[in-house]
Structure formats: structure tokens, C-alpha cells
Amino acid sequence: VAGSLRMDKKAQVALGGAGAALAAAWAFPAVQTAAAAGVLLPAVEQAVGTLPLVAVLSMAGALLFTSERAVQSKGSADSTRWASLFLLALVCGSHLPSAEALVREPAAPLAPRAPGGIAQASQLLSFSRGLSRLPRHNLRGGSAIIDPLLGASAHMKSPAEVLKMAGVDPKVGLSDERVASLRAMFGSNVLPSKEKVPLWKRFLEQFDDKMVKILLVAAGISTMFAVVDYGTEAHPFVEPLVIMSILVLNAGIGVWQESSAEAAIDALATFNPEKAKVLRNGQLSIINAAQLVPGDVVEIAVGDKVPADIRVIEKLSTTIKVEQAALTGEASSVNKDEHFTSGDIDETIALKDNIMFSATDLVYGKCKGLVIKTGSDTEIGKIAQALAETEDSESPLKQKLDKFGDLLTNVITVICVACWVVNINKFGAKGMALTGKDYVDWKVWSKGAMHFFKIAVVLAVAAIPEGLPAVVTTCLALGTGRMAKRNALVRHLPAVETLGCTSIICSDKTGTLTTNQMSVQKILLIEQGNKYLELDVDGITYEPKGDVKLKGAKVSATDYSALNELCKVASLCNQSGLFKNAQGVWERLGESTEAALKVLAEKLGASGLGKASGDTPVNDFWAAKHKKFATLEFNRERKSMSVLVGQEGEDKATLLVKGATEMVLQRCSKVRLADGSTIALTPEARKDLIKFVEANYASGKLALRCLAHAVLDKKISVTDPRLQDPNKFLEVESDLTFVGLTGILDPPREEVKGAIEDCRKAGIRVMVITGDNPKTAETICRMIGIFGPDEDTTGKSYTGKEFSVMTLAEKRVAVRSARLFARTEPIHKKDIVELLQEPVSEGGPGETAAMTGDGVNDAPALKAADIGVAMGSGTSVAQGAAKMVLADDNFTTIVSAVEEGRAIYANTKAFIRYLISSNIGEVVCVFLAVILGLPEVLSPVALLWVNLVTDGLPATALSFNPAEPGIMDRPPRRRDEQLVDSWMLCRYLLTGTYVGVATVWSYVWWYCRNPAGPVMTLKQLRLNLEAPVNIKFANDFGREVFNDKRPGTMALSVLVTIEMFNALNAVTESKSLLQMAPWANPYLILAVAGSFAQHFLVLSWPAAEVIFHVKKLTVPEWKYIIALSFPIVILEEMMKLATRIRDARAQ
């Protein structure tokens, strides 16, 4: 263009450079977008690094191409043109998007994923099509780069199309060099894992707390003073050693609590198969599954675990069935078909009937497949990634304690600084008293400053409730023990309290609300006059016990001939088995629906059975009487399976058939009536029967999986060649006689309905989030009371696909009203839980969410929830991600756990109220002593002893306070409810003020009012630093009385005694001690007695005299202590009365 416009050289250069820059600028954001979306191949990502080279080549080409006017010689101009063409070829032939892709309009970048948002594959389709135009360099064994749409669209393509996209021959497989190339692009087939934090790092992280940092500073300052004062003071290192011991102990507890955080990801690795059978270089071999790459052709047989996400390309048996309940939540195994294709690129996992997913189990058949996704790109890989990326949420109590700790830290800092500043004018006097000098220099002044700085440290130690973390941990551990007795095993201590404020329980359906054991619920026979005989079947597990009833009356196979024949078909047209495990629990071998029919046979009995023996006598009876000659396996076209059975040695046998109701009935020409007679099946009767089953069993309130059972009255030869040809199976299964119909369901647990009603009374919403189909899920929800029998579910029931296409605002509305999400994928469950927990300030509902589940697909949501609850019989992955495990798989245990959680929160408030009011008292005591200029009233070690040991026992005993009546009739507390409201803070301050004033007064009393003491004036006490050396007080006390240990012992004893009375007050927050006496909690009485015993031990132990600066007291002194301490009970009773009046007015 520049050449044709005859532009000068500078303009040509500018235009060439601008063109190159424009091309690169257009291409680069599009490539970045695709890379972020996860659809760009690593090879292309590497090629993106050569974009600057493209710009250089383009500019050079433009310069050479447009420099014809600058070259005088024609030959040189020709050379220039050839050079420019060569450079253009280099650009177009490089490993980059085609020239068209560089200049076409760039794809619109994907919007950032909002909370709860899910990236849709259809959003990537347009851009991926551009990537699919990448040049391919053929190697032996296929092209080096496979189609980037392979993983996203394999379920939409035929086997031939998928193989073409992968560029692989299904008879040869990949070559070694191509495997190496693909592994360089996609990596190994291993699940992603979160980098483990070293133990030392976890330990150090425990000190990242404001209050802990204050104590660390206090320990450091105490150590510095100990070094400075070494040799002049006895045992100077006691204080810093005690403080550090406390901090190390608390850190150790924190590390222990976090030690199992990564268990879920570790357990997920056990789902990865170790070996895979793969076709490479034309040879079938067994390799480590981690070595698989996209494009590999693998062979999978019954019993194998699927090694990657695989597109079925060829069935090597008539039927393929995969057990994928752990991934999708479907109760029964599903059929896979290589000919199935979907029209939706965003199809849900459960509906991709031609894809086998990594870590699922092949329970029937054999097939070849093409690996389409490996490692973190697989569905289970996405779950592992979600687990690795999901951080453990803090419990509401932890959040409240952190906020309270931050507030307390700020207050402590201000008070400590103020305490030091207000005494600046006393630094000199105190320095002279400490050094014995009669003048002030900087050393003397510094000595005084250090003394008051030490008092500020004492104040910090007094203000911080060092025992609170240990008491909270102990309280939660005690609650854990009580919950374990109710079969709720807590893996994460704070989860105990979190249950107390749970406002919504998000529950998986299969295995949680239901038994995850398919069971026959209904039997339908035909009577004379085309009347329907409907039977109900008891039992909800694989245990072969239960009754079959007709209008409440028990019936068996001996009562109806057709019922006996149906029992025969159910038992023999079956490839499953039943057995008892080591724990005596009945389990199945094979497909769950067939196992349910085996159980039904045992419940029905059999004519001619005689005396029963063994665990499964009915099935053993039918198996002994008949030999199975052939099995016509299920396929999607017939939707039925059949077996040929007869007597040993006979050349003809009877065909028994079961399958989908409509398909089997279409091939039936006769009906076996209940009494054993046979009549013709008219088209009208067939139509009426199908309509009746659809209306009453297959949909509506039951949504049963219905199977029709039939026989071929005309015996066929056991050598009939049609039995070996799957294309002839439909011909064999014709002219059948309909025997009866069974309706099968994964039934709800018996106790669930009552538990959900209890949740409703407690103000807790129950939401079901399941991977099962909506019709079945709604039926279960009606059966357990989530929905009313005839309730319209519009706006209350959604599918995962409906949820994924909503805007963020629509999702927030949906989660507020929804009670059911069906056909969900693991990422949907996690997003729903996170949206429910979104704070109100950010537009979310602000719920405290508990999530229950048992499968691998539940693990991300279990970890994301405030409290994840796994079933004891569930997968180890779910249990590892959860904070609590239900040993009995009983949903009612959750309700019991919620009640326990509420009681624990009430008790937690009680001991926090007790501890904080005590600490406020200690702060008032130290600060008041500083303001009055008194000597040290309480030493740091004494304060630590009170905070940790003396207060620790009563605080822990308050964990045993009985729950108040009606605790489960109240709505759950709000997540943002303050731990300490304004009135509670007022109570803390009033109580603390009395504690502090009484403690200081007892110290002053000993000096000024005690008849056996020095009886000095308050002024003399305040001016103790200036007292003459030869001063004399009453009772022959001299200046040394200011170093006497008894006043400090009086103060310590008053502090301990008041706090014991205060502990008795804390039995209830608002009721009088006359209404709820302290002995309602006998452990508290023992704890108070134990604390007093410890205190007397300290006073009488010689070593304690040195450590705590204490001395024995006289009886009159103890009488004064009790008289000074008891008024705290009266003060608390007055505040409780005010609380009751306040609450009554609020109501």
C-alpha cells in the first residue's frame, strides 16, 4: 500500500510498523483470553511468545517491500521483492494462528467470572474454531496438535469425527514421539494438589494474631529487663518463660487442629487408577495411568476403574454400564453408547451418555475409548482443583473472637501507652529509689522509665485473656465428645459451634436423604376385566427382609400364580448378587436395580420352596431349578435384557425378559393374569396400561423406575443362532406374555421427614442439591416434606443448567427461594453454597450454610460450606473435605448436632462473659494502682496464673451448663450478631470496675486500715518512693513494709474470690440464682473448689512465694476478703433483673 501511494521512506516505515503492531495487538488479547479460559493448547501458548518476532518480521517485510523507490537498480528492487516474499512466508508458516486470524475481528473477551458464575463451553466455541485452524505437522502416529475442541465437544461428535479431531488411527494408536509431544503440552495424567505448608511454617502462622503479638512483645521486654536486672533480682526469667510457654502451647493446639486440612485431597488420589490398557504403535500394553495423554486409545473391561475422561468409540460387548454415583449422584449405574451424540456443548455430566469419566467404575461390559481429557482437565480433576483452591472458612465464633480481639488489642495499646505517659514525671523519683542515688541523671531516669514500662507490660498481660483460646478449645472438645455419643464425629473443633448458627442445610439427596440402595416399592399385576392389582413392598435397604402387602394385608408368591412367576423372572433375569459384609450389613454385587429385584424375590418367597436355608433361600431355589443357557444383554434400542433358562439336558428353554415398560409392552401380545390364566393384550389395554403407569408410577408423586417383566410362552432351542447375534435379539424377544411390573426407587430414610420438620421449627431451611434427575428429586422432596404433596415448585426447583445461565442477580434471587437444585454438577454445588454465604453487605443472603453429602462430587461444596457434613458410609474424599462425619448416616443426627451447637454457643458466651469481666477487673486494678501511684499490686506472673489456671477451671466447667429449655424453638442467630452488645459491654464494665476497685482497695486496706498492719495514711502510701529511710509506722513497721508480700497476696486473694463468685453468677445470663442455682451445674461447684484449692496451695508452697510474690494470710484477713468479695453477687443479681426487664420490653 505504501509503495502504491508513493509515500516517502519515513512514512513507509511508520505505516509498516503500525500495521505490524496493529496485527499483534489484535491477536494478543484474543490469545490471552483463550489461555485464561483454558482452551488454548500449551504449544500455542509457547508460540505466543514469538509475537514480537512476528512484529519484527512484518516491519522488515514492509520496509523491504516499500523501499523500491530508494533502490536505483532494478535488480536490487527484484531482490527486495523476493526478500519481502520470503519474510512473509516465514510469518505465515510459523506456529501461529493463520494470517486471517491475525487480521480478523477479535473475539469478544470473556467477562470475568462473577461469584457463583460458571464459564460456558459455548462461550469459547467461536474462538476455539479459530484455534482449530492451526497448521498441523504430521508425525508418524498422527498430527502433533489435536483439535482444541476435542475435550469440550467430544460428546457431540461421532466416533469417526472424534478420531479425526484427535488425528489418531484406532487400530494403531499414538506413536512414542507423538506421546512425548502431547505430554509436553498436557502434562501427566495426575490430579492437581495443593502445595503442603511445612510444619514449621504452620507453627509460625499461629503467632499472626494481634493479642499474641502483644504477648510476644511483653515476653521480649520482660526478657530484656531480666537481662538488665540479672543478679539484682531473684528469678528474673520466670515471667518471660511463663509467657512464652503459654504462647507455644496455644500454637501447638492450632497446628494440631489444622493437621487434617489436606486429608480430602490426599484421599482423592486413591480414586486415581494406577494402571491403564493402552494401544500405542499398534501394540496393546499396560502402562501407568499417569502416562496417558489426550488422543490415547484405551481398552476398559468390567471391574476396571476408568483412567481418564474417555469418549467411547467401540463397544466390545452388547452393553456398557458405568457406576458414576460418586461423581453425579445417580443412584444406579448408567448405560454408555458410542453412537449417542448430544446437541448441546454445555450438556451436564449425567447426560453425556458416550463419555466415561475418570475414577468411575465399569460394572458391566467392555469397550474401546479415546482419551479426551487428563489430569486437572478431567471432571474429577476439576473437583481436586476446587478442593485445592477452596480455603477453609472461619467459623462465626472465630470471626467474632477475632473482631473482639482486634478491639481489645487497640484498647490495650492505648491504655498501656497512657499508663506509661502519665507517669513520666515520676521516672526520676522511681529511678532514685531503685538505684539508691540522691540525684537524677539519664541512667537513673532510664531506670525509672523501664520500671513504669514494665508496669505497662503487666497491664497488657492483665488485659489479655490468655486462657480464652484454651478454654474455647476445651469447650469445643467437650462438645465434640458429647456429639460423638450421638454418632456425629467432629473433625474440626470450631465446626461444633458453627452448627449452632446454621440457618440453612444444603443436602445431597442420594445416600444422605435416601439410602442409596435401590428398593422395589410397588408391584402391579393384572386381574380379570383388566383391573389392576397394586401391591406395596416394605423395606428400604438391600437386607432381604420385608413384607409385600395388598391393602395392608401381607401376601406372598403362593397367593397369586402371576406373583410367583414374576418372582422367577426377577430372580433369574438378573446378573447381580447379594452378600453380607464383615460388619453384617447387606451389600450388592452388580447393578443396583437388579440387586433390588433379588431382594424382592426374597420378600415374595416361592411356591414349592419348602424349608428355607441360607441367607438368600429364594434366589438359591430358582437358581438350583434352572440352568441359564444364554443372556441377551441390554442395549439402548431394545431397552431390555433377557435370559434363556431351562432344565439341565433339555434342548429347549424359556425366555425371561425385563426392561422399560413401554418397550417391553410393545412386544407383548398376551397378559398373564394374577390367577395364572392368560388373555390377549389388546392395543387399547396396552395403551391404558402404559398411560396408567406413566401417570401413577413413573411421574407425579412417585417417579419410580418401572420395569416390565415378561416371558415367552413358546420355548426356543438353546442352539438357536439368533441368540448369538445382537441384531436378532429384538426378533427373539417378540410375542411375549406380560407378567407384571415393578416400581423401583432409591427410597428416603425413614427418619428424614421428622428431622426436616424439626429443622423447620428451629427456623432452618433445608435445600436439596443433587445430581439426579429433577422428576425423581422432586418426588423424594415431596416424600420427606421439602415440598407439599401438591405444591407448585415454580421458582423453588431449578436444574444445574438453568442455574448456570442465570445472571448473578438472578442467582441471588434463586438461592433465596429455592428448595431444590437437580441435575447439578460439582461446580454448581460449590457455587450455590458460596452464594448462600455471600455477606448481606455484598448483596448476598448472608446465610450460615451446612452442606451434607457422601460422594466425590460433593467434596468441593463440603469444603466451601461453613460446616461440611459427610456420611460415614460415604467416600473418603467427602469425609476428608467435611468438618463433621455422621457415623450412622442419619440426617436426624444433624438436628441433634445443631441443638448441641446452640447450647455450646450459649455456654461459650457464659465463660467469655466470665473471663472478660475478670480481665477488665485486672486492667482497672493495674491502671488504678498506677494512677494512685501505688507500688506494684499484682505481678505479671500472678496475673498469668489467675488468667490461665485459677480462672481456667470454672470457665471450662461453664461448658457443662445445661441447655435452656426451648433452645430449638428459636430461630438461628444471625451470622453478624455481635458477641458482645452494648448492654453486655455495660455489664462487663460494671462488674470489672467492681473487681478492680475491690482488688486495689484490699491492697490499700492492708496498709491503711488493717489493725495488724502499718496503719499509714493514703498519702504516705502514694509517696512511698519518697519515704525517709528511718520512717516508722504502727506495729513497728519501717520503710521495708513497702516490699512486704502480704498486701499483694490480699489483692490476689480478693481477685480470686470475686472471680469464683462471678463464676457462680455465670450459670445463667439472665435468670436469678434463686431460679437456677449454681448446683444445676455440679462441675462448676467442683471447679470453684478446685480453684480455691490451687490458690491455697500457692499460698502455702515455699517455691510459690518466690515465683508469685505471695505469703500466707491470717484468718481476720480472709474474713475481710470474703466480705469484700460477696457484693459482686448482689451487683450481678441487680443487672440480671435489669436484663429480664429489658428482654420483656423488647418482646
Side-chain angles (χ1 to χ4, degrees):
V1 172
S4 65
L5 294 176
R6 304 295 181 183
M7 300 174 70
D8 60 34
K9 190 173 182 179
K10 289 183 179 180
Q12 294 169 11
V13 172
L15 182 61
L22 185 60
W26 266 344
F28 199 74
V31 174
Q32 278 189 317
T33 300
V39 300
L40 196 62
L41 297 179
V44 180
E45 291 180 328
Q46 292 170 7
V48 169
T50 65
L51 275 174
L53 176 61
V54 179
V56 172
L57 291 173
S58 300
M59 288 178 67
L63 286 171
L64 288 169
F65 195 81
T66 58
S67 62
E68 180 181 359
R69 291 181 63 198
V71 181
Q72 302 298 323
S73 155
K74 183 179 179 186
S76 297
D78 289 339
S79 300
T80 303
R81 288 195 180 96
W82 283 111
S84 63
L85 288 173
F86 174 73
L87 290 173
L88 182 61
L90 283 178
V91 175
C92 296
S94 61
H95 288 269
L96 291 168
S98 63
E100 178 192 352
L102 286 173
V103 297
R104 66 183 171 83
E105 183 179 347
L110 295 176
R113 180 173 174 271
I118 300 169
Q120 296 294 302
S122 56
Q123 290 178 279
L124 311 176
L125 187 57
S126 175
F127 184 75
S128 297
R129 282 173 179 158
L131 292 179
S132 67
R133 299 170 184 158
L134 293 174
R136 301 169 187 274
H137 299 270
N138 291 327
L139 301 171
R140 186 168 55 85
S143 60
I145 300 178
I146 63 175
D147 194 310
L149 272 178
L150 177 64
S153 65
H155 60 286
M156 304 172 65
K157 308 294 183 181
S158 67
E161 290 174 318
V162 170
L163 289 166
K164 184 179 178 182
M165 293 173 75
V168 65
D169 185 342
K171 296 179 181 178
V172 178
L174 298 175
S175 66
D176 290 340
E177 61 180 323
R178 189 165 178 224
V179 168
S181 174
L182 290 169
R183 185 172 293 118
M185 296 179 188
F186 297 102
S188 297
N189 180 33
V190 293
L191 296 181
S193 60
K194 190 175 183 179
E195 185 178 349
K196 292 187 177 181
V197 180
L199 188 63
W200 64 268
K201 208 167 188 179
R202 286 187 188 175
F203 183 79
L204 292 180
E205 285 174 354
Q206 306 304 315
F207 296 91
D208 188 17
D209 179 88
K210 283 188 177 180
M211 287 197 290
V212 171
K213 287 174 182 175
I214 286 181
L215 285 177
L216 280 173
V217 171
I221 293 171
S222 296
T223 303
M224 182 183 70
F225 289 154
V227 172
V228 172
D229 296 336
Y230 188 74
T232 62
E233 186 178 331
H235 308 286
F237 291 100
V238 170
E239 291 174 13
L241 284 175
V242 171
I243 296 173
M244 286 306 301
S245 299
I246 294 163
L247 295 177
V248 169
L249 178 63
N250 282 337
I253 293 172
V255 171
W256 171 70
Q257 288 179 358
E258 294 177 0
S259 60
S260 61
E262 294 161 350
I265 300 171
D266 294 339
L268 196 62
T270 64
F271 277 71
N272 257 10
E274 295 181 358
K275 301 292 182 181
K277 194 179 291 184
V278 63
L279 182 68
R280 287 180 181 171
N281 302 305
Q283 298 291 325
L284 198 62
S285 58
I286 296 176
I287 66 170
N288 287 329
Q291 296 176 357
L292 289 176
V293 295
D296 262 326
V297 177
V298 296
E299 189 175 289
I300 307 172
V302 62
D304 290 345
K305 197 175 281 291
V306 181
D309 282 4
I310 290 168
R311 168 62 160 94
V312 180
I313 57 174
E314 182 184 356
K315 282 193 292 188
L316 303 178
S317 61
T318 55
T319 304
I320 307 170
K321 288 191 175 183
V322 178
E323 182 72 67
Q324 55 187 41
L327 190 63
T328 64
E330 294 169 292
S332 58
S333 57
V334 294
N335 294 287
K336 297 295 180 179
D337 183 11
E338 78 270 33
H339 299 302
F340 170 83
T341 56
S342 170
D344 187 356
I345 196 169
D346 292 320
E347 190 64 87
T348 59
I349 295 173
L351 296 180
K352 292 181 179 179
D353 289 344
N354 52 15
I355 306 293
M356 294 194 296
F357 299 102
S358 179
T360 58
D361 296 294
L362 190 66
V363 296
Y364 193 95
K366 185 178 180 181
C367 70
K368 272 188 177 182
L370 179 75
V371 175
I372 58 172
K373 294 179 184 178
T374 58
S376 59
D377 291 330
T378 63
E379 294 303 326
I380 198 168
K382 293 174 185 175
I383 292 174
Q385 191 70 39
L387 281 173
E389 292 174 355
T390 303
E391 298 294 335
D392 287 325
S393 57
E394 289 186 338
S395 70
L397 178 61
K398 175 85 165 51
Q399 293 171 0
K400 291 180 176 66
L401 288 176
D402 286 347
K403 287 182 180 179
F404 184 71
D406 289 343
L407 174 64
L408 192 60
T409 300
N410 294 334
V411 172
I412 290 168
T413 303
V414 171
I415 292 176
C416 289
V417 172
C419 173
W420 190 72
V421 169
V422 296
N423 284 285
I424 287 178
N425 62 332
K426 299 178 183 177
F427 287 0
K430 186 63 180 178
M432 287 191 294
L434 292 171
T435 59
K437 296 181 179 179
D438 56 359
Y439 62 89
V440 176
D441 58 12
W442 71 270
K443 289 184 179 180
V444 172
W445 190 90
S446 298
K447 193 73 173 178
M450 288 175 62
H451 171 79
F452 285 104
F453 200 78
K454 192 173 181 180
I455 290 176
V457 172
V458 174
L459 192 59
V461 172
I464 296 175
E466 293 88 359
L468 185 57
V471 174
V472 170
T473 300
T474 305
C475 176
L476 296 178
L478 291 170
T480 297
R482 290 195 294 270
M483 291 173 73
K485 294 177 182 177
R486 299 189 181 193
N487 292 309
L489 310 178
V490 177
R491 297 182 64 255
H492 188 66
L493 282 181
V496 181
E497 180 276 330
T498 305
L499 278 165
C501 63
T502 298
S503 58
I504 184 167
I505 298 175
C506 303
S507 178
D508 177 43
K509 178 187 74 69
T510 306
T512 306
L513 300 175
T514 66
T515 63
N516 196 20
Q517 299 184 37
M518 299 296 279
S519 175
V520 177
Q521 304 288 299
K522 291 281 188 179
I523 299 174
L524 180 68
L525 302 177
I526 309 296
E527 289 190 297
Q528 291 285 352
N530 279 331
K531 293 181 180 178
Y532 302 140
L533 193 68
E534 298 182 74
L535 308 177
D536 296 307
V537 184
D538 291 341
I540 59 174
T541 67
Y542 290 132
E543 184 176 10
K545 291 182 180 179
D547 297 330
V548 180
K549 296 177 180 178
L550 174 63
K551 298 179 180 178
K554 183 178 178 180
V555 297
S556 69
T558 58
D559 297 319
Y560 296 95
S561 177
L563 199 56
N564 188 63
E565 192 169 13
L566 185 142
C567 177
K568 174 183 174 181
V569 177
S571 178
L572 296 175
C573 189
N574 200 312
Q575 294 178 292
S576 70
L578 301 171
F579 72 97
K580 270 186 183 178
N581 64 18
Q583 289 75 38
V585 178
W586 284 89
E587 294 186 7
R588 63 178 169 89
L589 284 173
E591 211 269 326
S592 57
T593 303
E594 292 193 332
L597 294 174
K598 287 277 190 181
V599 174
L600 174 65
E602 296 298 329
K603 295 174 181 178
L604 285 171
S607 297
L609 175 62
K611 187 176 180 180
S613 61
D615 290 333
T616 56
V618 176
N619 287 291
D620 295 342
F621 169 76
W622 290 118
K625 285 190 66 176
H626 298 85
K627 178 183 177 181
K628 194 176 290 186
F629 292 102
T631 298
L632 280 62
E633 295 173 333
F634 177 95
N635 63 34
R636 297 180 67 90
E637 290 73 29
R638 292 163 34 241
K639 290 190 178 179
S640 63
M641 74 157 289
S642 54
V643 294
L644 191 67
V645 298
Q647 301 297 320
E648 183 74 43
E650 292 185 352
D651 60 352
K652 289 194 174 183
T654 303
L655 190 72
L656 309 179
V657 184
K658 77 169 188 294
T661 305
E662 187 171 355
M663 299 297 288
V664 172
L665 281 173
Q666 293 295 343
R667 304 198 292 274
C668 287
S669 58
K670 298 180 287 293
V671 175
R672 190 87 75 223
L673 300 181
D675 59 8
S677 58
T678 305
I679 63 172
L681 179 62
T682 65
E684 292 77 13
R686 181 187 294 111
K687 185 177 179 181
D688 290 344
L689 179 56
I690 293 173
K691 187 176 179 181
F692 177 83
V693 171
E694 179 62 33
N696 295 278
Y697 288 2
S699 62
K701 298 177 183 178
L702 292 178
L704 301 175
R705 175 170 294 182
C706 297
L707 292 177
H709 301 262
V711 299
L712 183 63
D713 287 336
K714 180 183 177 181
K715 292 189 176 183
I716 60 176
S717 172
V718 296
T719 60
D720 191 323
R722 296 177 300 172
L723 300 175
Q724 308 303 319
D725 184 359
N727 295 322
K728 300 290 186 181
F729 287 177
L730 192 62
E731 182 182 324
V732 176
E733 293 176 353
S734 59
D735 194 27
L736 302 174
T737 300
F738 175 74
V739 175
L741 178 137
T742 53
I744 305 173
L745 182 70
D746 176 18
R749 297 177 183 272
E750 294 175 340
E751 68 279 354
V752 166
K753 189 171 184 177
I756 288 175
E757 182 57 33
D758 290 341
C759 288
R760 188 174 286 114
K761 289 179 182 176
I764 301 170
R765 178 161 58 116
V766 178
M767 177 190 290
V768 178
I769 311 176
T770 178
D772 214 342
N773 72 73
K775 188 164 64 175
T776 302
E778 285 188 15
T779 295
I780 294 296
C781 286
R782 293 187 193 279
M783 294 173 74
I784 62 179
I786 300 287
F787 294 130
D790 301 305
E791 184 177 352
D792 182 10
T793 60
T794 304
K796 303 168 189 173
S797 175
Y798 300 93
T799 65
K801 183 176 286 189
E802 290 170 344
F803 176 77
S804 66
V805 298
M806 291 179 183
T807 64
L808 180 58
E810 290 171 336
K811 287 176 181 177
R812 284 173 173 162
V813 172
V815 297
R816 280 183 166 89
S817 60
R819 292 183 230 161
L820 170 65
F821 285 94
R823 277 282 185 244
T824 56
E825 297 183 8
I827 191 66
H828 294 140
K829 294 186 177 186
K830 178 175 177 284
D831 287 340
I832 290 167
V833 168
E834 289 178 342
L835 273 172
L836 286 166
Q837 295 172 166
E838 208 173 25
V840 176
S841 60
E842 297 176 15
E847 304 272 14
T848 300
M851 174 74 198
T852 72
D854 66 337
V856 176
N857 61 324
D858 300 316
L862 286 171
K863 190 170 183 182
D866 291 306
I867 168 80
V869 183
M871 301 295 110
S873 62
T875 62
S876 57
V877 181
Q879 292 174 9
K883 296 183 175 107
M884 189 172 83
V885 178
L886 303 185
D888 58 356
D889 289 1
N890 195 329
F891 189 81
T892 58
T893 304
I894 300 175
V895 181
S896 301
V898 169
E899 182 178 5
E900 184 67 41
R902 291 187 177 188
I904 286 172
Y905 182 74
N907 293 342
T908 302
K909 285 187 70 176
F911 66 66
I912 288 176
R913 184 171 67 249
Y914 164 64
L915 287 175
I916 297 302
S917 60
S918 299
N919 279 92
I920 290 175
E922 293 166 11
V923 171
V924 171
C925 166
V926 175
F927 196 70
L928 188 59
V930 170
I931 295 299
L932 294 175
L934 302 177
E936 185 178 75
V937 176
L938 294 170
S939 69
V941 174
L943 287 171
L944 282 171
W945 176 261
V946 171
N947 287 350
L948 285 170
V949 183
T950 310
D951 288 350
L953 281 176
T956 303
L958 288 170
S959 305
F960 292 94
N961 279 351
E964 295 183 16
I967 197 168
M968 284 299 285
D969 294 331
R970 308 170 189 165
R973 69 180 189 276
R974 298 191 319 276
R975 189 184 185 93
D976 58 351
E977 178 183 296
Q978 291 181 336
L979 186 65
V980 180
D981 59 21
S982 56
W983 169 238
M984 192 59 64
L985 180 62
C986 180
R987 286 181 61 175
Y988 287 172
L989 291 173
L990 288 172
T991 303
T993 300
Y994 182 83
V995 172
V997 170
T999 302
V1000 172
W1001 173 248
S1002 67
Y1003 184 89
V1004 173
W1005 176 86
W1006 193 90
Y1007 277 110
C1008 302
R1009 297 295 181 90
N1010 181 13
V1015 195
M1016 64 180 70
T1017 64
L1018 180 60
K1019 183 177 181 180
Q1020 287 176 317
L1021 179 60
R1022 294 183 63 191
L1023 298 175
N1024 62 88
L1025 297 177
E1026 302 171 12
V1029 176
N1030 58 353
I1031 192 172
K1032 289 293 180 181
F1033 299 108
N1035 297 314
D1036 205 28
F1037 283 104
R1039 193 177 190 278
E1040 72 281 354
V1041 75
F1042 294 115
N1043 296 319
D1044 199 302
K1045 296 176 181 177
R1046 282 173 291 182
T1049 306
M1050 278 283 296
L1052 180 63
S1053 298
V1054 166
L1055 181 64
V1056 169
T1057 306
I1058 290 181
E1059 291 184 2
M1060 293 307 102
F1061 280 127
N1062 208 18
L1064 299 178
N1065 288 328
V1067 171
T1068 173
E1069 184 177 337
S1070 59
K1071 291 185 179 180
S1072 168
L1073 290 179
L1074 299 176
Q1075 294 175 298
M1076 193 169 180
W1079 45 86
N1081 182 355
Y1083 295 101
L1084 181 60
I1085 303 298
L1086 292 174
V1088 169
S1091 291
F1092 269 123
Q1094 288 176 349
H1095 184 65
F1096 287 126
L1097 179 63
V1098 166
L1099 297 186
S1100 58
W1101 184 29
E1105 184 176 342
V1106 176
I1107 298 172
F1108 298 103
H1109 307 286
V1110 293
K1111 203 167 185 179
K1112 286 184 181 180
L1113 299 176
T1114 63
V1115 173
E1117 288 170 338
W1118 270 109
K1119 287 181 179 179
Y1120 189 80
I1121 288 169
I1122 293 172
L1124 187 62
S1125 303
F1126 184 76
I1128 192 67
V1129 177
I1130 299 172
L1131 177 63
E1132 271 291 319
E1133 285 293 302
M1134 293 169 62
M1135 288 191 288
K1136 286 180 181 180
L1137 175 62
T1139 300
R1140 292 196 296 273
I1141 294 172
R1142 176 174 171 268
D1143 291 346
R1145 287 177 177 173
Q1147 291 175 2

